[in-house]
């Protein structure tokens, strides 16, 4: 019971933190390279948590060396997910990016499991997932036809960002499943968190060095502040999510995160670049209600199975 409560706490902390993170960095990425921020944030994660593992539990590294294929998939999917997310955050309304990113997760898990659900709630649970799918289709319409709170005349960029964050959402779900498998095998959350961002750091740093614009790199006076914000808003909440992943099912991770878009939408109203979009809000509410219903039905089914 305590383990489950801790999982809910860690996941809730992450969901709440997304509001500040996405609103802050959506604004920051207008003047600072998202590749630079990615390399900085996840480079700190790797150094800090990797250093802790090397100094305190070096024997755990065997979990990685003994499973090279899974380790590669963990890094590749994490890199694709976060870089796609940051790219989309630069070009779309933050709440929309967040909703798509977490919204595809429950559907991926559903199809991954083969759609197997207890018969006595099958219709109700599938109805909830249909609501999630409808919300995602609606938010895609909002983006493609210019009804979001962030107006842009570049339809190509909007479409590209929409596709990128959808792919990122699938990728991060696969990444979370892989992370949970390492935890189940006995690897600590510190080890998994320290090792899952290696390709993110390498790719972001290389791309920034080759393609980056000097004007979008922060000055020395800004670097400390951006580093502090990256650590507080990306590193710590992401580790909180990692702790939640280690203590709960992949489906639970995704449905609890589903409240994130509501918090992001509320926080982004403070951003002067964005206008209030009722269409975005309707889609987010439909998604959050549907995801919450799916979560409740899943918990009820698992409880009945345990009793039986």
């Amino acid at each position: 019971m305590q383990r489950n409560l801790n999982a809910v706490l860690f996941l809730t902390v992450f969901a709440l933190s997304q509001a500040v993170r996405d609103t802050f960095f959506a604004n920051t990425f207008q003047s600072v390279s998202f590749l630079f921020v990615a390399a900085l944030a996840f480079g700190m994660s790797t150094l800090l948590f990797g250093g802790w593992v090397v100094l305190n539990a070096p024997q755990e590294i065997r979990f990685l060396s003994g499973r090279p294929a899974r380790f590669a998939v963990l890094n590749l999917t994490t890199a694709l997910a976060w870089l796609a997310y940051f790219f989309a955050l630069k070009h779309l309304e933050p709440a929309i990016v967040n909703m798509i990113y977490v919204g595809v997760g429950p559907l991926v898990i559903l199809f991954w499991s083969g759609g197997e659900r207890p018969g006595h709630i099958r219709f109700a649970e599938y109805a909830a997932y249909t609501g999630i799918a409808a919300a995602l289709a609606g938010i895609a319409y909002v983006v493609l036809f210019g009804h979001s709170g962030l107006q842009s005349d570049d339809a190509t960029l909007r479409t590209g960002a929409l596709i990128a964050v959808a792919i990122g959402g699938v990728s991060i779900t696969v990444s979370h499943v892989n992370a949970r498998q390492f935890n189940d095998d006995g690897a600590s959350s510190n080890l998994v968190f320290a090792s899952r961002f290696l390709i993110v750091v390498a790719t972001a740093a290389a791309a920034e060095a080759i393609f980056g614009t000097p004007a979008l790199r922060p000055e020395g006076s800004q670097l400390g502040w951006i580093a502090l914000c990256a650590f507080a808003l990306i590193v710590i909440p992401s580790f909180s999510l990692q702790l939640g992943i280690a203590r709960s099912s992949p489906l639970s991770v995704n449905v609890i995160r589903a409240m994130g878009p509501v918090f992001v939408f509320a926080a982004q109203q403070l951003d002067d670049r964005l206008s209030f979009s009722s269409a975005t809000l309707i889609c987010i509410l439909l998604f959050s209600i549907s995801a919450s219903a799916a979560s409740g039905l899943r918990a009820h089914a698992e409880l009945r199975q345990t009793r039986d």
Side-chain angles (χ1 to χ4, degrees):
M1 177 63 74
Q2 185 62 43
R3 181 183 176 88
N4 291 334
L5 289 176
N6 288 339
V8 171
L9 175 62
F10 290 133
L11 293 171
T12 302
V13 167
F14 177 79
L16 289 170
S17 70
Q18 291 178 90
V20 180
R21 181 197 69 191
D22 291 358
T23 303
F24 175 82
F25 282 108
N27 194 292
T28 299
F29 289 158
Q30 305 309 307
S31 58
V32 176
S33 167
F34 75 90
L35 292 171
F36 184 93
V37 173
L40 178 66
F42 297 119
M44 288 190 296
S45 301
T46 301
L47 289 174
L48 291 172
F49 289 90
W52 190 96
V53 170
V54 169
L55 292 175
N56 294 279
Q59 71 280 0
E60 286 196 8
I61 296 176
R62 74 180 188 279
F63 287 108
L64 307 180
S65 60
R67 301 161 178 80
R70 192 194 300 173
F71 178 59
V73 171
L74 176 67
N75 266 267
L76 287 169
T77 52
T78 301
L80 177 60
W82 275 102
L83 293 177
Y85 188 81
F86 280 173
F87 171 75
L89 203 57
K90 185 177 178 67
H91 300 290
L92 299 177
E93 187 178 350
I96 289 177
V97 176
N98 191 277
M99 176 186 151
I100 296 173
Y101 194 67
V102 303
V104 299
L107 299 182
V108 171
I109 295 298
L110 177 67
F111 286 106
W112 198 327
S113 65
E116 296 180 1
R117 294 292 180 261
H120 60 282
I121 64 162
R122 180 172 295 166
F123 177 80
E125 194 168 354
Y126 273 113
Y129 287 116
T130 300
I132 294 175
L136 290 170
I139 210 68
Y141 177 88
V142 168
V143 171
L144 294 175
F145 292 91
H147 299 300
S148 75
L150 179 63
Q151 298 303 315
S152 170
D153 295 329
D154 196 329
T156 301
L157 271 180
R158 288 203 311 269
T159 304
L162 184 67
I163 295 172
V165 72
I167 293 173
V170 174
S171 188
I172 199 64
T173 303
V174 176
S175 177
H176 290 335
V177 171
N178 272 276
R180 175 58 188 265
Q181 289 173 343
F182 273 112
N183 291 138
D184 290 343
D185 288 344
S188 69
S189 294
N190 289 309
L191 175 66
V192 176
F193 193 72
S195 61
R196 71 185 302 178
F197 300 115
L198 297 177
I199 293 180
V200 177
V201 176
T203 303
E208 177 62 27
I210 298 171
F211 305 109
T213 303
L216 292 179
R217 294 169 188 161
E219 300 177 358
S221 58
Q222 299 176 295
L223 187 58
W225 170 245
I226 292 177
L228 177 63
C229 290
F231 184 79
L233 300 177
I234 296 177
V235 177
I236 296 302
S238 294
F239 185 61
S240 180
L241 176 62
Q242 180 66 52
L243 293 173
I245 290 171
R247 291 162 171 80
S248 59
S249 69
L251 184 60
S252 296
V253 170
N254 284 287
V255 294
I256 292 178
R257 290 172 65 207
M259 292 307 297
V262 177
F263 303 138
V264 176
F265 186 84
Q268 75 178 24
Q269 302 311 309
L270 301 175
D271 191 337
D272 293 336
R273 299 178 306 114
L274 306 173
S275 60
F276 180 87
S277 170
S278 57
T280 298
L281 179 58
I282 290 171
C283 291
I284 286 175
L285 291 177
L286 174 60
F287 165 71
S288 296
I289 292 170
S290 298
S292 297
S295 177
L297 291 166
R298 181 93 308 267
H300 181 262
E302 290 173 353
L303 180 61
R304 289 183 65 93
Q305 286 179 320
T306 300
R307 289 176 177 174
D308 294 341

